[in-house]
Each structure stands twice: as structure tokens, then as C-alpha cells.
Amino acid sequence: VQLQASGGGLVQAGGSLRLSCAASGRTFTRSAMGWFRQAPGKEREFVARVGWSGSSTKYADSGEGRFTISRDNAKNTVYLQMNSLKPEDTAVYYCAADRYYSGASYEYRYWGQGTLVTVSS
């Protein structure tokens, strides 16, 4: 199973980027997929999650109103549209698939390699 994230890059504050994450090796049409990010010197943090049908979404407060997560199950791909970007959004963004409950917390079985987003002021 591979998750290939793409779409990162350098953008000015206020700009937009659209991240994509294409899954291969199996389909995830019955499981949630999500985006996380890790800024330099910080721990990885949750960004957004989308349910298996695409109708259920959840966002971290930092991205609420600016980010939109969506998925195309026919393409086995999840997207993150990021608008009104801020310098504090600078991070490596990771996609994740196959969310499950471990008994203690929710986890994801599969992770992408990350794509770097840099927002200049």
C-alpha cells in the first residue's frame, strides 16, 4: 500500500494550494482518510479528516473556514484545498488512510511520505 502526496510548494501569505494524496495497493472506500502536518521543531498535528463517503468532515481549529478536505473514491484520492494561507501553515503535510480505533485512541494504518508547504510572509 502506498499513499503518494503531492501539491506542496512555496506560496505567499494569502495564497492557495491544493494537496492531493493518491492511494495505491488497496482501496479505502470504507474508511476515513485524513491530513496531518508537522512544522519544524513541533509535533505532528491533526489538520482534517473525511469520512468514507465524503459527507462527514472534521477540521482542526487552525484550518476551520480556510481548508476543505474532500475525496474521490473512484480515484482513491483525498484532497486538501488550502486557502488564505498563513506563514504558520508552513509544515510538511502528511496524508493518512484507514482510520481505526486501537482501543485507546484512533489511529491510521497507512501514511504518505509528506509534501512540504512553505508560506512566505
Side-chain angles (χ1 to χ4, degrees):
V1 176
Q2 285 192 329
L3 300 178
Q4 183 68 43
S6 61
L10 174 64
V11 64
Q12 288 189 332
S16 298
L17 282 175
R18 188 194 193 204
L19 306 184
S20 300
C21 176
S24 61
R26 61 157 285 184
T27 59
F28 297 100
T29 56
R30 302 300 293 182
S31 66
M33 300 181 76
W35 287 94
F36 291 75
R37 68 185 183 185
Q38 186 167 20
K42 295 187 177 181
E43 293 187 354
R44 186 173 63 192
E45 64 178 7
F46 168 77
V47 175
R49 179 177 72 242
V50 60
W52 67 270
S53 70
S55 61
S56 173
T57 58
K58 184 173 178 62
Y59 298 91
D61 290 344
S62 58
E64 188 74 56
R66 300 187 298 125
F67 295 175
T68 302
I69 188 171
S70 61
R71 65 190 294 169
D72 185 336
N73 284 340
K75 296 181 179 179
N76 219 19
T77 299
V78 63
Y79 305 96
L80 184 68
Q81 176 68 44
M82 303 186 294
N83 299 326
S84 302
L85 283 162
K86 306 174 182 179
E88 52 263 43
D89 294 318
T90 295
V92 176
Y93 284 71
Y94 299 91
C95 59
D98 200 8
R99 184 171 180 257
Y100 70 100
Y101 187 64
S102 69
S105 63
Y106 282 97
E107 307 287 345
Y108 288 83
R109 286 192 174 86
Y110 304 101
W111 292 84
Q113 85 288 0
T115 184
L116 177 62
V117 171
T118 303
V119 184
S120 63
S121 57

